[in-house]
Amino acid sequence: MNLLLSIAFVLCWSSGFIGAKLGAGSAAAVTVLMWRFLPLAVALIIAAGLSRAAWRGVALRDVARQAAIGVLSQSGYLLTVYYAIELGVSSGTTALIDGVQPLVAGALAGPLLRQHVSRRQWSGLCLGVGGTALVTTADAAAGAGATWWAYLIPFLGMLSLVAATFLEGRSRARPAPAVSMTVHCATSAIVFTALAMTAGAATPPTATSFWVAIIWLVALPTFGGYGLYWLILRRSGVTKVNTLMFLMAPVTAVWGALMFGEPFGPQSVLGLTVALAAVVLVHRTGTASGDADTGMAACPAGHGT
């Protein structure tokens, strides 16, 4: 079951980069994000009103905490990813920066969550960085020549997601995934609607491609990627789960090759192989080898993008 969840998570999360590219061709980032979350938030709020079982015992402070996590893990993270792609940063480069998250989370797991990260896990993490770098180097070489500071923006999003992960990890309250998803999406809808209206970009375009991108983003990265990200964190430790993020850059390259005819040569294949090896290395590190990765608190990522 864990393997199937991991495969589904990687496919759905990486699809968010492709969805962002689909949407960027027809509207501004805040417009795409507003219409991605506004109808979704309305539907989730209605569903919550019809079925209140998951909300029993959920205190106001728990909702406020989930709102803060939603701002970090959805609003802040997605806005930076979409904006970077809008500025010309390639999807592969953005995915690589996203893949740095496991190293940051792993380095902070000890002091913040008192979790041990073994040498074997660190070896796998570094190997994963090498794999994503191989894929992204080839992708960035064919990029749109974005200005240098545009490449700093995805780092802000990555740090935002890491902060959300640890904020949830230190929380004692563990609301149901339906509660977390509803609060996160409602928070994002408010944030992105306010930003779009302020920028005068709230009116959606009539182009079919825009609405195809919206449906894509809601179905795959939101319900699939974002939901599975937090679900898997319930079942596994922060280091092991986040190692799956290393697969995003190479898998995004596969998505790009299939959907947009982007080149996917030997270097990309090698990078994908190295990233897979990194995941296997870290996930085979059991508690017998001194791994005390006991897992984070329950969470509702993002993306997905």
Side-chain angles (χ1 to χ4, degrees), residues 240-273:
K240 288 184 178 180
V241 173
N242 282 325
T243 303
L244 293 171
M245 301 299 288
F246 284 131
L247 296 178
M248 300 309 167
V251 172
T252 299
V254 175
W255 275 107
L258 294 175
M259 295 194 64
F260 304 114
E262 296 176 350
F264 187 67
Q267 183 174 341
S268 298
V269 174
L270 177 60
L272 175 59
T273 303

Side-chain angles (χ1 to χ4, degrees), residues 120-121 124-125 239-240 243 277-285:
R120 186 174 180 181
Q121 285 179 301
L125 293 172
T239 305
K240 288 184 178 180
T243 303
V279 173
V280 172
L281 178 63
V282 173
H283 279 261
R284 286 198 171 187
T285 303

Side-chain angles (χ1 to χ4, degrees), residues 132-155:
T132 53
L134 283 171
V135 173
T136 308
T137 299
D139 184 66
T147 184
W148 67 269
W149 56 266
Y151 290 88
L152 300 178
I153 295 175
F155 279 102

Side-chain angles (χ1 to χ4, degrees), residues 174-292:
R174 300 185 177 185
V179 173
S180 301
M181 178 71 80
T182 301
V183 175
H184 292 190
C185 289
T187 303
S188 294
I190 293 172
V191 171
F192 293 133
T193 298
L195 289 174
M197 292 181 68
T198 301
T203 303
T206 58
T208 303
S209 59
F210 173 81
W211 295 108
V212 169
I214 295 299
I215 295 172
W216 174 286
L217 289 167
V218 170
L220 293 177
T222 301
F223 281 114
Y226 190 70
L228 286 172
Y229 178 83
W230 296 111
L231 176 63
I232 294 174
L233 279 177
R234 290 178 180 269
R235 305 166 66 99
S236 305
V238 59
T239 305
K240 288 184 178 180
V241 173
N242 282 325
T243 303
L244 293 171
M245 301 299 288
F246 284 131
L247 296 178
M248 300 309 167
V251 172
T252 299
V254 175
W255 275 107
L258 294 175
M259 295 194 64
F260 304 114
E262 296 176 350
F264 187 67
Q267 183 174 341
S268 298
V269 174
L270 177 60
L272 175 59
T273 303
V274 173
L276 285 171
V279 173
V280 172
L281 178 63
V282 173
H283 279 261
R284 286 198 171 187
T285 303
T287 55
S289 63
D291 177 13

